[in-house]
């Protein structure tokens, strides 16, 4: 027996009207049924119960997928979309809702507005409302190819991939970034090759660097040269000891001012005679 796929109304994609998850489940179940899958097979494929499959096969789209609103902000939906689209920040929209009679909390209102912003991909001011000209300029900037500040940091510290256009532009227009990049690569190369001469050359080179931060770093290496030499020459590390020490300190700090010294000692000290 073939099952006819019910026609879905054009308003299904309307955000305030239908639950997207239920609509997708409704469509998928009917597509499986249309090609001859049994209810048991559909339930196994979609990892849901057979009663759910039966309900969506026999039920109506309107009654199954239309949202039952419980939020007091639903009646202000059009106002929220209008104000956020105009570029107002959430604080201003919330104040407007209060004037319109909204009696709920600010957190609930912000959560509701965040869902609207995510759904409609709105560019909303975080701190204060912006003028129409500022909003227009912000949309115009989105047309241009750009790289974020965090993207530059990832490129420097984690060797993240950059397009050739972005990389060449940064290296050409920001010589300090190029110098910082070279410094990072040279320092990492010291440990990869375990080369002591490279360490001394690195310190000598960057002790007189124009960038104060790099110069301070090089001077710090010189002050602790014995420890730095050991870390370069040896693959051994005190990382395990430091990690264990951090765990012990965390236990101590969570108990500070609440428990006795005896309990602290019992939690930190190993007792070979303790029976578990």
């Amino acid at each position: 027996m073939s099952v006819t796929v019910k026609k879905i109304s054009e308003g299904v994609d309307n955000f305030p009207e239908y639950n997207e998850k239920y609509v997708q489940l409704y469509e998928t179940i009917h597509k499986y049924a249309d090609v001859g899958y049994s209810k048991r097979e559909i339930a196994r494929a979609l990892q849901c119960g057979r009663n759910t499959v039966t309900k969506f096969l026999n039920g109506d789209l309107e009654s199954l997928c239309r949202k039952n609103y419980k939020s007091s902000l639903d009646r202000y939906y059009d106002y929220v979309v209008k104000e956020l689209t105009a570029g107002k920040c959430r604080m201003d929209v919330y104040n407007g809702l209060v004037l319109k009679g909204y009696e709920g909390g600010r957190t609930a209102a912000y959560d509701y507005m965040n869902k609207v912003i995510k759904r409609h991909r709105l560019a909303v001011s975080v701190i204060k409302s912006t003028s129409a000209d500022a909003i227009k300029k912000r949309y115009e900037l989105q047309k241009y190819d750009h790289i974020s500040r965090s993207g530059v940091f990832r490129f420097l510290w984690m060797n993240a991939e950059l397009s050739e256009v972005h990389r060449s532009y940064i290296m050409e227009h920001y010589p300090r970034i190029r110098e910082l990049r070279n410094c990072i690569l040279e320092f990492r190369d010291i440990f990869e090759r375990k080369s002591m001469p490279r360490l001394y050359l690195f310190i000598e080179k960057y002790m007189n660097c124009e960038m104060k931060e790099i110069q301070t770093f090089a001077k710090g290496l010189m002050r602790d040269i014995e420890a730095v030499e050991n870390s370069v020459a040896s693959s051994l590390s005190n990382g395990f000891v430091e990690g264990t020490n951090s765990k012990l300190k965390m236990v101590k700090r969570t108990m500070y001012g609440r428990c006795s010294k005896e309990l602290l000692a019992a939690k930190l000290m190993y007792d070979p005679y303790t029976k578990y």
Side-chain angles (χ1 to χ4, degrees):
M1 179 179 179
S2 62
V3 180
T4 304
V5 179
K6 297 183 180 181
K7 183 178 180 181
I8 300 177
S9 61
E10 296 179 354
V12 168
D13 293 330
N14 190 4
F15 171 63
E17 296 296 332
Y18 290 86
N19 187 307
E20 291 185 354
K21 180 180 178 181
Y22 288 167
V23 170
Q24 292 177 356
L25 183 61
Y26 181 91
E27 291 178 339
T28 306
I29 288 176
H30 278 272
K31 286 179 181 178
Y32 273 102
D34 192 44
V35 296
Y37 278 75
S38 66
K39 294 180 181 179
R40 185 187 297 274
E41 291 172 336
I42 296 174
R44 187 182 298 113
L46 301 181
Q47 296 183 353
C48 61
R50 280 183 290 171
N51 291 336
T52 302
V53 174
T54 302
K55 180 177 71 175
F56 275 83
L57 283 175
N58 300 332
D60 181 63
L61 174 70
E62 295 292 324
S63 60
L64 291 173
C65 302
R66 183 178 290 275
K67 289 184 177 179
N68 296 320
Y69 298 118
K70 297 181 180 179
S71 174
S72 59
L73 284 164
D74 291 329
R75 62 177 180 270
Y76 303 113
Y77 177 80
D78 293 335
Y79 170 79
V80 171
V81 173
K82 178 183 176 182
E83 296 298 298
L84 292 176
T85 305
K88 288 190 175 182
C89 67
R90 292 175 298 175
M91 173 63 75
D92 289 346
V93 178
Y94 171 75
N95 293 335
L97 290 171
V98 173
L99 294 176
K100 285 183 171 290
Y102 173 66
E103 298 179 353
R106 180 181 300 178
T107 302
Y110 276 25
D111 290 342
Y112 188 86
M113 284 185 273
N114 288 338
K115 293 178 182 179
V116 175
I117 291 169
K118 182 178 179 181
R119 172 67 181 184
H120 294 278
R121 298 178 182 178
L122 301 177
V124 181
S125 175
V126 177
I127 301 176
K128 61 181 180 179
S129 295
T130 54
S131 63
D133 293 337
I135 297 171
K136 183 178 179 181
K137 290 180 181 179
R138 185 166 53 201
Y139 279 110
E140 289 177 354
L141 287 175
Q142 294 177 357
K143 301 176 184 178
Y144 299 99
D145 186 22
H146 68 282
I147 181 172
S148 64
R149 183 179 179 184
S150 60
V152 176
F153 288 156
R154 287 194 294 269
F155 167 68
L156 290 174
W157 299 113
M158 296 180 284
N159 202 27
E161 292 292 335
L162 283 182
S163 65
E164 188 61 32
V165 176
H166 286 162
R167 181 167 182 165
S168 59
Y169 182 86
I170 290 174
M171 294 302 180
E172 179 181 353
H173 291 80
Y174 301 96
R176 287 201 166 189
I177 291 182
R178 181 174 62 252
E179 186 176 2
L180 182 59
R181 171 73 171 170
N182 293 335
C183 176
I184 294 172
L185 294 178
E186 290 176 17
F187 188 70
R188 289 177 176 173
D189 188 61
I190 293 171
F191 288 88
E192 290 177 359
R193 297 175 180 267
K194 296 189 178 301
S195 173
M196 207 67 67
R198 287 177 179 268
L199 173 63
Y200 304 139
L201 292 173
F202 177 89
I203 295 175
E204 182 181 357
K205 176 181 178 181
Y206 290 104
M207 283 271 287
N208 301 317
C209 179
E210 294 182 358
M211 293 181 65
K212 184 178 178 181
E213 293 79 7
I214 298 180
Q215 186 182 125
T216 304
F217 175 68
K219 290 180 179 179
L221 293 177
M222 195 62 193
R223 284 195 303 267
D224 299 326
I225 188 62
E226 184 178 354
V228 176
E229 287 177 346
N230 291 334
S231 65
V232 172
S234 175
S235 58
L236 300 178
S237 171
N238 64 341
F240 175 78
V241 177
E242 292 296 335
T244 305
N245 188 31
S246 297
K247 292 179 181 178
L248 297 178
K249 286 184 176 180
M250 182 62 67
V251 174
K252 181 191 72 173
R253 288 165 183 165
T254 54
M255 298 176 60
Y256 179 74
R258 300 182 182 180
C259 305
S260 64
K261 292 183 180 180
E262 290 75 14
L263 180 59
L264 178 62
K267 292 178 73 68
L268 298 183
M269 297 175 63
Y270 172 70
D271 185 0
Y273 302 103
T274 301
K275 296 181 179 180
Y276 297 99

